[in-house]
Amino acid sequence: MGRREEKRDITRQQMLTAAAELFAERGYETTAVEDIAERANLSKGTFYYHFETKEALVVALRRQMLAGTVEQTFALLGEGQPPITVLERLLLERAAFTQKEPELAKVF
């Protein structure tokens, strides 16, 4: 990966982190794009360079947060775990996330 791509990934991650924090603190509806950019120490234009809308950022944030869960699910299935056991585990993890981060869970 080149320097530009690395910088782009770092900037994108800053915005995702800032958004997750703000959504957890304030909720989705009361968090503006300007708030996310400010928390990430970036301009509003930079936000729109990486994400078309606040909703697009939420989709990226959700994918990022679920990435490990999806990989783990496939790994467990690959190990021969019964699908019902894997599904139960997945649901319990989602429930724990919802309990731990209720405001962020509402966004998803």
Side-chain angles (χ1 to χ4, degrees), residues 89-102:
R89 183 176 175 167
L90 180 64
L91 291 172
L92 288 172
E93 287 177 5
R94 291 295 93 203
F97 174 80
T98 300
Q99 189 172 24
K100 181 182 171 196
E101 298 286 353

Side-chain angles (χ1 to χ4, degrees), residues 9-104:
D9 288 347
I10 290 168
T11 300
R12 186 175 171 88
Q13 187 56 51
Q14 285 175 289
M15 285 187 282
L16 291 169
T17 300
E21 291 170 359
L22 288 166
F23 294 156
E25 291 170 16
R26 304 178 186 177
Y28 175 81
E29 294 297 327
T30 57
T31 300
V33 167
E34 293 85 357
D35 301 326
I36 296 167
E38 184 179 320
R39 173 73 62 99
N41 245 357
L42 300 164
S43 71
K44 187 175 166 184
T46 301
F47 176 92
Y48 286 112
Y49 175 79
H50 291 274
F51 301 101
E52 282 188 34
T53 62
K54 187 168 75 167
E55 292 79 13
L57 178 138
V58 169
V59 170
L61 183 60
R62 178 137 172 92
R63 283 187 181 144
Q64 180 185 43
M65 292 183 142
L66 286 177
T69 303
V70 171
E71 291 168 3
Q72 184 182 30
T73 299
F74 283 125
L76 291 170
L77 290 170
E79 292 171 6
Q81 294 284 328
I84 192 71
T85 303
V86 175
L87 179 60
E88 182 181 58
R89 183 176 175 167
L90 180 64
L91 291 172
L92 288 172
E93 287 177 5
R94 291 295 93 203
F97 174 80
T98 300
Q99 189 172 24
K100 181 182 171 196
E101 298 286 353
E103 288 302 316
L104 193 52

